[in-house]
Amino acid sequence: MLSKKKKWSLPLAMALTVSMLTTGLLAGCGPASEKGAGPQNTSNEILIGGNYELSGGNATYGAAAVNGVKLYIDEVNAKGGVLGKQIKFVSLDNKSEAGEASNVAARLINQEKVSAILGGAASSATVAFVKQANDRKIPVISSSAVASEVTVDESGKTRDYIFRACFTAPFQGEVMAVFAQKNLKLNKAAILVDNQSPYSKGSAKAFKDLFVEKGGQVVAEEGYVTGDKDFRSVLTRIKGSGAELIYVPGYYEEAGFIVKQARELGLNVPVLGGDGWDSPTLVKIAGADALNNTYFSTHYSEEEKSPKVQEFIAAYKNKYGEAPEALGALGYDAAVILVDAIKRANSAEPEKIRETLASTKDLEAVTGTISFDGQHNPVKSAVIVEVKNGKFTFKDKISPKS
């Protein structure tokens, strides 16, 4: 109600008008702009976000990955940082929930103004925020989300800003099909798949396709759902099918019960799995004896002799007092990939980081020598682990191209 307020002098009114216009223009250029994340942090730090599962059902995965990320960032900072700046890792908890992962991404982009995001550990949380980050033009490197739709949208187009440090679920299925036929010399397989898990279904389909293509026969296909604990009926059917092996591309909780009950039923054929098995809890559930003659694909093994692996293990043990799991190695590698891209870009600007990420080639990391393919998946071999008397032992390193 201007008529009831004090009259302003003309120069002052003009100054206020200019001020308001300037403020409006600046607001249109801020982080919430539709075209991208806007100006990034200009301090003497490079801000990197972490969108990880630090509580909830996948907390062990997220915590291991964050340990790996922090280890590498601490090493870089101790050597003077990158581009003359220290890296600040802003890690937030997505609580193993898709909705919260989206909220965390929004905060990292809009409030923290990060140059890039590392995470998540699981596909479900990661898929929930990658479109948002891609639309806002902020690079993301997931350490361990294996679902194909992380880096590829529903139309099949590669998401320009989204990458991963791990290989995909279908890749693991192909690796285990090669291992079953080439190493174990077996050609009749049963597949037991978690029908609620994109990871499990993607691995199973790829295994079946390549196994059959190479002359194998799938004699039984059975399903279960996450949380099941009694598998005796499906295992009895598998036992009657003549299967020489069982492929179970699920997570360690269900896999542990499956192996335990298979042995109790006298089903002593090899059981194969994927990186979802890679947890000490597997042994607690199944028992050491039951797990003999089982194998799973994963990203690295403590028993690999390469200097890169052994240096990482020593540093991890020194910092955290325990041996690293595969998720810790992948978190470390995600940070390695990102810092390498920042160095080669000579910039912490998101667009320049994206460009150099896409051109990553022959980068030496803990889990292998990494080059990105056209869908931003790392081209590298998988490690095959054999479980012997409750211990995870290095068996082989293998590629579907073998």
Side-chain angles (χ1 to χ4, degrees):
M1 305 290 287
L2 292 176
S3 60
K4 293 184 180 180
K5 294 191 179 288
K6 182 179 179 179
K7 294 182 180 180
W8 300 100
S9 65
L10 183 59
L12 181 56
M14 290 177 66
L16 285 169
T17 301
V18 170
S19 175
M20 287 187 288
L21 285 171
T22 302
T23 301
L25 288 170
L26 289 173
C29 298
S33 170
E34 290 296 321
K35 295 184 179 180
Q40 300 300 300
N41 172 62
T42 56
S43 71
N44 199 40
E45 295 176 323
I46 295 174
L47 298 184
I48 302 301
N51 191 337
Y52 277 109
E53 300 83 339
L54 301 180
S55 62
N58 294 317
T60 57
Y61 294 148
V66 167
N67 281 350
V69 172
K70 288 180 176 178
L71 175 60
Y72 186 68
I73 288 176
D74 286 350
E75 290 173 356
V76 171
N77 285 339
K79 295 175 182 177
V82 60
L83 308 184
K85 296 184 177 184
Q86 294 283 286
I87 298 173
K88 182 179 179 181
F89 182 49
V90 183
S91 180
L92 303 179
D93 180 13
N94 65 36
K95 301 178 182 178
S96 302
E97 298 172 2
E100 190 61 25
S102 181
N103 294 337
V104 164
R107 177 177 165 185
L108 290 171
I109 295 168
N110 297 330
Q111 298 179 35
E112 303 295 343
K113 299 183 176 64
V114 298
S115 292
I117 296 172
L118 299 176
S123 295
S124 54
T126 308
V127 169
F129 77 86
V130 289
K131 183 181 186 302
Q132 176 186 180
N134 197 66
D135 289 347
R136 298 298 301 279
K137 300 182 178 180
I138 294 295
V140 173
I141 306 174
S142 171
S143 52
S144 53
V146 298
S148 299
E149 55 265 41
V150 169
T151 63
V152 178
D153 67 20
E154 57 277 3
S155 70
K157 182 179 182 296
T158 300
R159 302 185 197 271
D160 287 342
Y161 286 79
I162 314 302
F163 301 79
R164 71 176 110 222
C166 60
F167 38 65
T168 65
F171 179 87
Q172 293 192 71
E174 292 176 348
V175 164
M176 294 313 286
V178 170
F179 177 74
Q181 291 176 312
K182 182 179 178 181
N183 295 62
L184 300 181
K185 311 295 184 185
L186 300 175
N187 282 294
K188 290 185 178 180
I191 299 174
L192 184 48
V193 62
D194 182 345
N195 287 321
Q196 289 184 339
S197 167
Y199 157 69
S200 186
K201 292 188 289 185
S203 299
K205 181 181 185 304
F207 175 92
K208 179 181 178 180
D209 290 349
L210 189 58
F211 192 77
V212 172
E213 179 186 318
K214 291 183 174 292
Q217 182 182 2
V218 175
V219 296
E221 294 182 73
E222 299 286 349
Y224 64 93
V225 296
T226 304
D228 281 354
K229 289 182 170 59
D230 187 350
F231 302 90
R232 291 175 180 84
S233 60
V234 295
L235 289 169
T236 298
R237 290 196 293 271
I238 288 173
K239 186 178 181 181
S241 71
E244 299 171 332
L245 69 96
I246 310 171
Y247 182 49
V248 186
Y251 291 99
Y252 59 85
E253 291 176 334
E254 290 80 17
F257 286 109
I258 288 168
V259 173
K260 183 176 188 294
Q261 291 165 24
R263 302 318 190 209
E264 290 171 351
L265 291 170
L267 190 52
N268 296 315
V269 299
V271 185
L272 281 56
D275 64 339
W277 284 35
D278 198 352
S279 170
T281 306
L282 178 75
V283 182
K284 294 178 182 177
I285 295 172
D289 290 343
L291 284 165
N292 287 330
N293 204 23
T294 65
Y295 309 84
F296 62 87
S297 57
T298 190
H299 307 270
Y300 103 118
S301 167
E302 287 183 62
E303 295 187 346
E304 286 188 75
K305 302 303 181 186
S306 80
K308 196 82 174 177
V309 169
Q310 293 306 314
E311 288 168 9
F312 162 71
I313 292 171
Y316 193 100
K317 286 181 176 178
N318 183 60
K319 186 174 180 67
Y320 300 112
E322 61 184 12
E325 298 176 15
L327 277 291
L330 287 169
Y332 186 92
D333 278 0
V336 168
I337 294 166
L338 179 57
V339 171
D340 172 74
I342 293 171
K343 287 179 180 177
R344 288 188 291 115
N346 196 32
S347 171
E349 288 298 314
E351 172 60 24
K352 293 181 179 178
I353 294 173
R354 181 203 67 80
E355 291 174 1
T356 50
L357 277 173
S359 66
T360 299
K361 185 174 177 60
D362 297 331
L363 175 64
E364 288 191 21
V366 173
T367 60
T369 300
I370 293 172
S371 302
F372 283 121
D373 66 14
Q375 294 185 335
H376 297 171
N377 301 315
V379 179
K380 57 181 178 177
S381 296
V383 168
I384 307 298
V385 168
E386 179 178 4
V387 187
K388 286 185 176 181
N389 301 317
K391 294 184 178 180
F392 295 170
T393 61
F394 177 80
K395 177 68 175 178
D396 201 358
K397 206 161 190 174
I398 197 167
S399 165
K401 306 294 184 183
S402 300

